[in-house]
Amino acid sequence: MKLLVCGGAGFIGSNFARQRVERGDQVVVLDKLTYAGRRENLEGVDCELVVAGIEDAEAVRGALAGVDAVVNFAAETHVDRSIAQPDAFVQTHAVGTWVLLEAVREASVRYVQVSTDEVYGSIEEGTFTESSPLAPSSPYSATKAGADLLVSSYFHTYGTEALICRGSNNYGPFQYPEKLIPLMVLNALHGDALPVYGDGMQVRNWIYVEDFAAGIGHALEHGAPGEVYNVGGPDECPNMEVVGRILALTGRDESLIEHVTDRPGHDRRYSLSSEKVRALGWEPRVRFEEGLARTVDWYRENTAWWEPIRSGDYRAYYERHYGRALGG
Ligand code: NAD
Ligand code: DAU
């Protein structure tokens, strides 16, 4: 199969591209290379890289030539950045998704939109299914929900062969260290403070990135057009437990933990039922304990990947967001 993977130079997209190339697919990546998209993520992956935004209709049309399907990972993905500066979220998720859908409609190819459990909002008890109402809380999740609705409208109105996969919290190699797990791992390895928002008892459903990538591939091959598939991980865990496990894996103690001001509108708990995609034959393989140990080892061993990040613009982001210098 020939695939166009939008946002394929980011964390999950690059893991997906690697997996698909290993399975024998031909892959073209279209990526704007924002701060989160890096050529390094695709090192050793035999694919073509087109540097362009999904909102660039001409570039999209060119990259789409001859492909059998499009998988769209391209997004702004950090909730805290969406709170500070929502512009790019609206542009990429609304306009970008629309441009892609128009091109896909013209080319009549299959389309998978990679979405998130955050579109359902927070749940105190129980678990979200695909028919749960959308109740997003942040500019990130609201614009992702808007993109999902647009995708569904193309199926209903034009018969576009479009599917949606909603994932839970991913972790693993190549994740930009603004997200909880890589940020805490790198800070712990450096002996820096671990900034926990509020009481740290927010719960997330963790999925190892290779499992999520495989789930998307499975829905691409076996899913039905017009359907939504939740792809969640096998383990739920409060943030304080995640941080405790990272301290243990890096040989540090709790004195590094620092409770900081909570995220505005912070969702308390996400929980996702994945029965529908499991019924298609997909299962997550990696439990949190094993995946986290692998992830810590990967960051420990791949200093050349994160050193340029920790010494570049990221330092300014960190200082602005956490009100303290990295390493200070
Ligand atoms: P990421 O931030 O690591 O990567 C995003 C990629 O998209 C980057 O390579 C970036 O350069 C590219 N991009 C951004 N705007 C673009 C544009 N306008 N045109 C083309 N490329 C653009 O994100 P990620 O964590 O890999 O997430 C990928 C997708 O999965 C997103 O759609 C996200 O909403 C979804 N998702 C993420 C998680 C998670 O836990 N990380 C969970 C569920 C769903
Ligand atoms: O649920 C899927 C979503 O998971 C994806 O759609 C998003 O793209 C992805 O960023 C992620 O969103 P979260 O907000 O859950 O992830 P984040 O890593 O930012 O935060 C995870 C939890 O950790 C959350 O409760 C906030 C908390 N946190 C995060 C950071 C960065 C802290 O306590 N301290 C921090 O410094």
Side-chain angles (χ1 to χ4, degrees):
M1 190 167 6
K2 184 173 178 186
L3 293 175
L4 176 61
V5 181
C6 301
F11 163 49
I12 307 172
S14 62
N15 276 285
F16 177 80
R18 183 171 293 105
Q19 211 173 72
R20 297 307 301 199
V21 167
E22 279 167 10
R23 288 169 58 105
D25 286 337
Q26 196 183 337
V27 171
V28 177
V29 167
L30 182 134
D31 197 294
K32 199 173 181 175
L33 298 186
T34 66
Y35 75 93
R38 304 179 70 213
R39 287 177 194 275
E40 293 90 321
N41 295 356
L42 289 168
E43 226 169 74
V45 182
D46 183 14
C47 65
E48 184 191 338
L49 171 64
V50 178
V51 180
I54 54 169
E55 63 279 12
D56 178 343
E58 208 178 316
V60 165
R61 215 174 282 126
L64 239 157
V67 308
D68 301 297
V70 176
V71 184
N72 180 30
F73 294 87
E76 291 291 332
T77 59
H78 194 36
V79 174
D80 295 326
R81 289 186 192 249
S82 85
I83 294 167
Q85 221 169 353
D87 339 10
F89 292 74
V90 176
Q91 177 69 12
T92 292
H93 303 171
V95 179
T97 306
W98 165 69
V99 169
L100 270 186
L101 285 167
E102 277 297 304
V104 160
R105 179 184 157 207
E106 193 181 296
S108 291
V109 293
R110 184 167 266 235
Y111 178 85
V112 177
Q113 173 75 359
V114 181
S115 185
T116 168
D117 60 359
E118 297 202 16
V119 298
Y120 299 117
S122 192
I123 189 166
E124 265 177 44
E125 282 174 12
T127 193
F128 288 123
T129 69
E130 289 80 359
S131 51
S132 299
L134 301 187
S137 349
S138 68
Y140 163 69
S141 50
T143 51
K144 289 293 289 183
D148 285 8
L149 294 176
L150 201 55
V151 171
S152 298
S153 81
Y154 269 63
F155 167 73
H156 289 290
T157 310
Y158 306 113
T160 303
E161 218 184 294
L163 296 72
I164 297 170
C165 285
R166 295 189 178 134
S168 62
N169 279 66
N170 278 238
Y171 67 102
F174 300 101
Q175 188 169 31
Y176 195 83
E178 62 190 352
K179 309 283 165 47
L180 179 75
I181 289 182
L183 180 129
M184 296 298 182
V185 169
L186 291 186
N187 280 17
L189 290 174
H190 287 83
D192 292 341
L194 307 189
V196 172
Y197 296 164
D199 64 3
M201 293 313 288
Q202 302 83 7
V203 172
R204 295 295 183 262
N205 174 188
W206 293 100
I207 185 165
Y208 193 64
V209 64
E210 289 173 10
D211 278 338
F212 186 46
I216 293 165
H218 206 81
L220 168 71
E221 287 171 14
H222 305 288
E227 295 295 320
V228 173
Y229 296 94
N230 289 342
V231 185
D235 298 291
E236 284 185 20
C237 190
N239 295 340
M240 283 303 283
E241 191 186 321
V242 175
V243 169
R245 284 174 183 261
I246 291 171
L247 287 172
L249 286 163
T250 52
R252 300 286 184 178
D253 66 49
E254 290 184 353
S255 62
L256 284 185
I257 295 177
E258 196 176 299
H259 288 270
V260 299
T261 311
D262 208 349
R263 172 185 282 174
H266 199 168
D267 285 336
R268 195 70 181 162
R269 174 169 174 258
Y270 299 140
S271 180
L272 204 58
S273 152
S274 308
E275 292 313 311
K276 194 168 157 183
V277 69
R278 281 173 191 260
L280 293 180
W282 169 86
E283 285 287 337
R285 291 165 190 250
V286 182
R287 298 299 303 262
F288 191 53
E289 190 178 355
E290 183 197 336
L292 191 61
R294 277 199 216 171
T295 304
V296 171
D297 285 348
W298 188 86
Y299 281 92
R300 216 196 286 275
E301 286 159 16
N302 287 275
T303 47
W305 183 86
W306 52 256
E307 257 168 1
I309 298 176
R310 292 227 349 157
S311 59
D313 295 348
Y314 176 77
R315 296 189 80 83
Y317 160 77
Y318 196 92
E319 200 167 328
R320 242 184 356 259
H321 183 64
Y322 293 101
R324 63 185 296 164
L326 192 60

